[in-house]
Amino acid sequence: MYNIDDIRAILKNKLSEKRYEHTLGVEYTAAALAMRYGADMNKARVAGLLHDCAKYFPGEKLLAKCRKHHLEINQYEQDYPELLHAKVGAYLASSKYGVQDEEILSAITWHTTGRPDMTLLDKIIYIADYIEPNRNKAPDLDEIRELAFKDLDECLMTILSHTLSYLKEKGSVIDPTTFATYEYYRR
Ligand code: FE
Ligand code: FE
């Protein structure tokens, strides 16, 4: 069992107020989803708390940390280094927060893009990040929030397709991992 208060205390010092509020929102939402789907409560809360623990680093710093600690950088991450906050977050979770649990580290690593064949905890954190109470910009949030507690995979699929159409609309390049996740769950 990881100590929730200890992790919170460190994060409160590191993150901006807004990011910290988002972090608590993800923690609570992940806890609620863990109750609904029978996931480990402590792991869900810790993964929720730490998912954005590297978000305060600028892109250049994230790239530098990856190089220093030999974390692989793909072409897409090279072009959009902010994405690396997930991978670096998992690295910090283990090196600075003492979290060695593979399930937690995986959920942090994949919280931005998802991945094919996600674990229950991966899905919970991915979804909690999207629906936590402080979020208000995405379309159909009420329906998606309801769906999260009815059918986790259906909810995941809805978020992925919203995310892809949003990226398309913006004319952004579509991150290959998000696309691979979508293709995997579309079947
Ligand atoms: Fe994030
Ligand atoms: Fe987040």
Side-chain angles (χ1 to χ4, degrees), residues 104-167:
I104 296 175
L105 298 180
S106 162
I108 298 172
T109 303
W110 302 107
H111 84 265
T112 335
T113 59
R115 62 161 167 164
D117 201 13
M118 292 161 87
T119 66
L120 175 60
L121 195 62
D122 291 345
K123 292 175 189 171
I124 285 176
I125 299 303
Y126 182 87
I127 291 171
D129 193 25
Y130 196 87
I131 68 169
E132 65 94 0
N134 301 294
R135 296 277 198 205
N136 55 22
K137 287 198 185 64
D140 305 329
L141 258 183
D142 292 342
E143 289 82 355
I144 293 172
R145 282 176 172 140
E146 195 179 336
L147 192 55
F149 290 87
K150 281 188 178 152
D151 186 326
L152 200 68
D153 283 338
E154 196 65 44
C155 180
L156 179 67
M157 198 53 224
T158 306
I159 294 174
L160 284 163
S161 73
H162 273 61
T163 303
L164 288 179
S165 37
Y166 170 77
L167 290 174

Side-chain angles (χ1 to χ4, degrees), residues 51-52 55 85 111 129:
H51 84 284
D52 273 344
K55 185 85 176 186
H85 80 271
H111 84 265
D129 193 25

Side-chain angles (χ1 to χ4, degrees), residues 2-85:
Y2 297 104
N3 188 305
I4 300 292
D5 291 338
D6 289 352
I7 298 174
R8 279 191 190 168
I10 303 173
L11 288 171
K12 200 172 170 27
N13 269 318
K14 299 239 175 231
L15 304 178
S16 71
E17 201 180 324
K18 204 161 168 246
R19 179 69 47 196
Y20 185 66
E21 286 303 317
H22 163 68
T23 290
L24 292 183
V26 176
E27 184 210 307
Y28 292 135
T29 306
L33 289 169
M35 290 178 203
R36 164 67 180 84
Y37 294 104
D40 184 288
M41 179 63 63
N42 184 250
K43 288 188 190 189
R45 295 179 71 186
V46 171
L49 280 175
L50 291 175
H51 84 284
D52 273 344
C53 73
K55 185 85 176 186
Y56 63 97
F57 294 120
E60 268 313 308
K61 184 95 192 181
L62 290 167
L63 283 166
K65 284 201 176 280
C66 284
R67 288 193 206 102
K68 181 167 174 204
H69 303 294
H70 310 288
L71 307 173
E72 199 187 301
I73 305 167
N74 67 33
Q75 185 55 56
Y76 195 80
E77 292 165 336
Q78 187 71 53
D79 297 341
Y80 301 91
E82 318 75 50
L83 276 174
L84 289 168
H85 80 271

Side-chain angles (χ1 to χ4, degrees), residues 87-98:
K87 205 176 275 184
V88 174
Y91 173 79
L92 291 182
S94 105
S95 60
K96 301 261 187 274
Y97 294 83

